[in-house]
Amino acid sequence: MSQFSFTSSSSSNFTLFYHSQNHNPSKFHVSSPFRTSQPSPSHPILPPLCSREPSSSSPLLEEKPETSQSSSKFDPQDRLSYNDEVADEISTTKKSLEELLVVRRPVKDPYVENDDEKGEAVSNYEDSQERNDLLEEQPSSSSFPLDAGLKKFAKKVPIFEPSRLESDSGEKPLKVNLDLALYKAKILARKFQYADAEKILQQCIDVWPEDGRSYVALGKILSKQSKLNEARTVYEKGCQATQGENPYIWQCWAILENRMGNLRRARELFDAATVADKKHIAAWHGWAVLELKQGNIKKARNLLGKGLKFCGGNEYVYQTLALLEAKAKRYERARYLFKQATRCNRKSCASWLAWAQLEAQLENNRTARQLFEKAVQASPKNRFAWHVWGVFEANLGNIDQGRKLLTIGHMMNPRDPVLLQSLGLIEYKNSSANLARVLFRRASQLDPRHQPVWIAWGWMEWKEGNISTARELYQKALSINSTTESAARCLQAWGVLEQRAGNLSAARRLFRSSLNINSQSYITWMTWANLEEDQGNSIRAEEIRNLYFQQRTEVVDDESWIMGFLDVIDPAIDSIKRLLNLDQNSYYKVKESTSNTTAGDDVEGSTEESASPSSANVNDNNIDTGSGFDLDDFIRVMLSLDPSKLEVQLTTSLKDPPKIARTTNGVWRPATKTSRTSTTL
């Protein structure tokens, strides 16, 4: 056995003996610097921590050639020369070790200091200093397997790498960025910049795939562009990404399938939405509306009842139930439900407006006015409230009041063509056809694809005797879309025109085409029957009447419309009536009177008398309801409008170039559909 030792130059001296036995470089002996007469026992130790790789190529531990003599003693001269060589090698390896090892120290917060933290910091600093001293005293990486193991270990400790922590925190943006991006996409969609909005929403989906709001917003934008298949794909991916736990995606998907005519699929998706969250009231209500449109009244009531059971009181559920009761002529029950709806949300313009429509149908004019006042107070800029109230007053003969209300609505919604359309009809009846033409032309410029404007304009030209112009306007309306209910009305009105002009075969074809779109139109059936009866075909006329009653019995909810002034010619009113599910058939007009009604808690006393069965109330055209509501003061304070300058402002707005919304940028339009009868006439 051969043996050598060296003395370190550091302050903590120690002597390292190397015993070579069978050329095994892994056995070390550490002895005290204070030598005794007895040899210190040998204690083999393991390689340094952080690494268990053997270092067989260490030059420091490389075995020197030995003589055949016993190695128990060294020559003094050889010992001194060997120590000099070892010292030179240690100094060289220390430099290489300092270059390889990078000591990383913990990051301290300079702004938070207290006694405990200071003591802990001092302790950590002393420990790290002792460790650094120990590392500096160790031989070079070529001597021990310390460098590789310690280097790997240090890289795996994130507390020693502040830059790495900063990069980790920047991998995913904060949640507030998603909210800002969704808001920006919403604003872009309002401006019809759908391409930019889609790009932002797609980025939101890529970064936050688990958030359902991005899928809902993107699907709605695609639906507005009639990209229904793409919207369906987005909703499907959203349900997969959220693991089917987002009821909003299921609900939007169900509405899309209902729009596409897939009723069975829509029911399944509504069911999935209620399973995902039984307290999602929109799913219960949407499902109930679907069943109502299919005539399943009992099923709809059951769904609405479940909505109230799981979600509590909700204005939309109460309002729908009230409309069902009104349709069944249970008016007291309907009023109670309307009252509950307005209690749930005093600012619900739709609830006040629906209640006002019911009272107007029952000719409780004073009560209806009070409810209209509540509607505009709940939503001062709501175009539906101003429009319905204005038409209501015009139908009662209050032309100036109706014109004033419609003008206020137009000032608040200058891009809405329906308000100008109704103003044009009022001006034609009470003023001049030229002013009405100006209003119709401006309305058609605001929205060239709004069919009711062209229909109303064509009706006016027919009344003025301009038959060719009326035909052109009817043709324009049908070229927009020939499958809607507005197209059915247009075909019926065109049929009447041809009947009066003597083109009976063309009139029959137009009536038949109208009934192919809407087979529930009482007016179209009866007009056709009257045509046959006028021609002496009494048998054919009776057959047409029987066909109407036979097919009508197959439908539970008849949504027929009437042929009255401002009711059919202004289809916006009819669409509101269909939305409210009110039976507005003039041939079955309700003559019943009602009593003991209220218009809410705050107007309960004033409306109870107005709803009583008295002729004074039925024929009450006094616009002063006694509620203390001042329309002029309201629009001056809430809408910043001068009541004395409304006509001037309307005239000025008609002279200015129309501010047409950019509806063509990034919007896909379906192919133009022409009427099936237009080519044959």
Side-chain angles (χ1 to χ4, degrees):
M1 177 181 294
S2 62
Q3 167 178 305
F4 66 88
S5 64
F6 65 90
T7 303
S8 174
S9 60
S10 65
S11 59
S12 57
N13 291 329
F14 61 88
T15 304
L16 179 63
F17 289 93
Y18 171 76
H19 299 272
S20 176
Q21 183 177 5
N22 297 328
H23 303 282
N24 187 359
S26 63
K27 293 184 180 181
F28 292 82
H29 292 263
V30 181
S31 64
S32 173
F34 304 98
R35 301 188 62 84
T36 60
S37 58
Q38 299 294 334
S40 62
S42 63
H43 300 281
I45 63 175
L46 295 173
L49 295 175
C50 303
S51 175
R52 293 191 178 273
E53 300 177 0
S55 180
S56 58
S57 62
S58 177
L60 229 175
L61 303 181
E62 187 176 357
E63 192 175 23
K64 298 294 180 179
E66 299 179 358
T67 59
S68 59
Q69 298 178 356
S70 176
S71 59
S72 59
K73 293 183 179 180
F74 272 74
D75 187 277
Q77 296 295 332
D78 295 338
R79 186 183 185 94
L80 291 175
S81 61
Y82 186 79
N83 287 340
D84 294 336
E85 294 175 3
V86 170
D88 295 337
E89 252 184 293
I90 288 176
S91 61
T92 304
T93 54
K94 279 180 63 177
K95 295 180 180 180
S96 62
L97 183 63
E98 292 175 356
E99 295 175 357
L100 290 175
L101 293 178
V102 178
V103 180
R104 298 174 174 85
R105 307 185 185 280
V107 180
K108 302 298 295 181
D109 190 354
Y111 300 99
V112 180
E113 290 186 1
N114 52 42
D115 296 337
D116 295 339
E117 292 177 349
K118 288 180 180 179
E120 185 178 357
V122 171
S123 177
N124 293 336
Y125 178 79
E126 292 176 354
D127 293 342
S128 61
Q129 282 295 104
E130 291 177 3
R131 182 181 178 185
N132 295 339
D133 294 339
L134 181 60
L135 291 175
E136 291 177 356
E137 291 171 359
Q138 296 296 331
S140 66
S141 60
S142 60
S143 301
F144 294 96
L146 178 65
D147 57 337
L150 185 59
K151 190 174 182 180
K152 293 179 181 178
F153 176 77
K155 287 184 177 180
K156 292 180 180 179
V157 182
I159 192 174
F160 293 110
E161 298 187 19
S163 59
R164 180 178 174 182
L165 289 176
E166 294 174 1
S167 62
D168 290 344
S169 62
E171 288 182 359
K172 190 172 184 178
L174 297 175
K175 200 76 172 182
V176 66
N177 293 284
L178 174 61
D179 300 333
L180 294 174
L182 292 174
Y183 178 76
K184 185 177 181 180
K186 181 180 179 180
I187 297 301
L188 291 174
R190 287 180 179 177
K191 297 179 179 179
F192 303 98
Q193 300 177 11
Y194 292 134
D196 297 335
E198 291 177 17
K199 184 178 179 181
I200 293 176
L201 292 173
Q202 191 60 51
Q203 292 176 353
C204 293
I205 292 175
D206 295 338
V207 180
W208 294 280
E210 72 284 352
D211 196 290
R213 293 176 294 173
S214 303
Y215 300 98
V216 172
L218 182 57
K220 288 183 178 180
I221 289 177
L222 293 173
S223 299
K224 289 180 180 179
Q225 302 174 75
S226 299
K227 300 179 181 179
L228 304 183
N229 291 327
E230 296 182 16
R232 176 191 289 167
T233 303
V234 170
Y235 291 142
E236 185 175 1
K237 291 181 179 179
C239 291
Q240 294 175 357
T242 58
Q243 300 179 357
E245 297 180 355
N246 192 306
Y248 297 93
I249 304 178
W250 290 114
Q251 178 213 350
C252 293
W253 191 359
I255 294 175
L256 177 66
E257 295 295 341
N258 184 25
R259 176 182 175 185
M260 299 175 70
N262 304 325
L263 301 181
R264 182 177 179 181
R265 182 61 172 164
R267 289 188 177 97
E268 294 175 353
L269 294 170
F270 276 126
D271 189 20
T274 57
V275 171
D277 185 5
K278 65 180 181 179
K279 294 185 178 181
H280 188 62
I281 189 62
W284 295 109
H285 185 264
W287 194 355
V289 171
L290 183 149
E291 299 297 342
L292 283 176
K293 291 181 179 179
Q294 299 303 313
N296 302 325
I297 306 297
K298 186 176 180 180
K299 178 66 173 178
R301 288 181 181 275
N302 185 26
L303 293 170
L304 293 172
K306 288 184 178 180
L308 291 176
K309 176 182 177 181
F310 294 120
C311 310
N314 183 271
E315 56 181 296
Y316 299 104
V317 175
Y318 282 129
Q319 177 184 340
T320 305
L321 287 172
L323 295 172
L324 287 176
E325 297 297 330
K327 190 174 181 65
K329 300 182 181 181
R330 294 188 287 266
Y331 302 115
E332 291 299 327
R333 182 67 177 172
R335 289 189 180 98
Y336 171 77
L337 292 170
F338 276 128
K339 187 174 181 180
Q340 295 298 322
T342 54
R343 280 181 176 177
C344 290
N345 185 7
R346 306 294 296 179
K347 296 296 183 180
S348 176
C349 180
S351 299
W352 293 112
L353 191 58
W355 192 355
Q357 285 283 90
L358 173 63
E359 299 298 342
Q361 179 191 1
L362 299 177
E363 298 183 353
N364 296 325
N365 299 334
R366 185 177 180 182
T367 305
R369 285 191 182 94
Q370 291 178 347
L371 294 170
F372 281 128
E373 292 172 1
K374 289 292 179 182
V376 297
Q377 289 176 14
S379 180
K381 296 183 180 181
N382 191 290
R383 58 193 178 101
F384 297 105
W386 293 109
H387 180 256
V388 177
W389 190 6
V391 173
F392 167 78
E393 296 293 348
N395 286 335
L396 292 179
N398 301 322
I399 304 301
D400 294 337
Q401 182 72 1
R403 184 187 290 114
K404 181 179 181 179
L405 293 169
L406 291 173
T407 303
I408 294 172
H410 173 67
M411 293 294 101
M412 292 294 99
N413 304 273
R415 294 182 179 180
D416 183 62
V418 180
L419 292 164
L420 289 177
Q421 172 194 336
S422 297
L423 274 173
L425 290 170
I426 291 177
E427 295 298 337
Y428 169 68
K429 184 179 180 180
N430 300 278
S431 181
S432 65
N434 292 330
L435 180 56
R437 287 189 182 95
V438 173
L439 293 169
F440 285 136
R441 185 174 293 106
R442 171 55 65 92
S444 64
Q445 292 174 351
L446 290 174
D447 189 358
R449 299 185 61 82
H450 188 65
Q451 287 179 299
V453 171
W454 301 103
I455 298 172
W457 193 356
W459 176 84
M460 188 199 72
E461 296 295 346
W462 169 53
K463 289 293 185 180
E464 288 294 304
N466 302 322
I467 305 299
S468 59
T469 305
R471 287 194 181 103
E472 293 177 359
L473 294 171
Y474 285 147
Q475 181 65 41
K476 178 65 176 179
L478 292 173
S479 66
I480 298 172
N481 195 334
S482 62
T483 60
T484 62
E485 291 191 7
S486 295
R489 294 186 181 86
C490 181
L491 290 169
Q492 192 268 345
W494 196 350
V496 173
L497 182 151
E498 298 297 339
Q499 177 186 356
R500 302 287 177 85
N503 301 325
L504 301 182
S505 60
R508 291 187 179 96
R509 288 196 302 270
L510 289 166
F511 290 145
R512 187 179 296 108
S513 299
S514 176
L515 291 173
N516 288 336
I517 300 173
N518 182 15
S519 62
Q520 303 304 308
S521 174
Y522 178 88
I523 289 299
T524 306
W525 285 103
M526 296 302 111
T527 305
W528 190 3
N530 292 334
L531 183 150
E532 299 296 343
E533 194 169 21
D534 292 342
Q535 298 301 316
N537 300 328
S538 301
I539 298 176
R540 178 59 176 164
E542 190 64 24
E543 289 178 354
I544 293 174
R545 293 189 182 97
N546 292 335
L547 283 174
Y548 165 71
F549 288 107
Q550 289 175 5
Q551 62 85 31
R552 186 175 183 270
T553 57
E554 299 176 359
V555 181
V556 177
D557 282 335
D558 180 23
E559 297 180 355
S560 59
W561 43 273
I562 63 176
M563 184 67 178
F565 180 74
L566 288 180
D567 286 314
V568 170
I569 301 305
D570 187 3
I573 293 296
D574 189 74
S575 64
I576 294 175
K577 293 173 183 176
R578 292 197 313 276
L579 175 64
L580 301 178
N581 292 329
L582 294 176
D583 189 2
Q584 298 288 338
N585 196 327
S586 61
Y587 291 89
Y588 302 99
K589 192 172 183 179
V590 179
K591 297 296 183 180
E592 297 181 9
S593 60
T594 59
S595 61
N596 299 328
T597 182
T598 60
D601 294 339
D602 51 349
V603 292
E604 184 175 358
S606 61
T607 57
E608 184 175 355
E609 181 181 356
S610 64
S612 60
S614 62
S615 59
N617 178 57
V618 172
N619 299 321
D620 184 12
N621 292 337
N622 185 10
I623 60 176
D624 186 9
T625 60
S627 62
F629 178 77
D630 188 348
L631 180 62
D632 293 343
D633 185 65
F634 176 77
I635 64 175
R636 186 183 297 108
V637 175
M638 299 298 297
L639 305 178
S640 300
L641 293 177
D642 189 353
S644 61
K645 298 181 180 180
L646 288 177
E647 295 184 2
V648 177
Q649 293 177 354
L650 176 62
T651 305
T652 304
S653 65
L654 294 177
K655 293 181 180 179
D656 295 336
K659 299 179 181 179
I660 303 175
R662 294 180 294 176
T663 59
T664 57
N665 293 345
V667 180
W668 179 85
R669 293 291 187 185
T672 301
K673 299 180 181 179
T674 57
S675 174
R676 293 186 293 249
T677 60
S678 61
T679 57
T680 60
L681 295 177

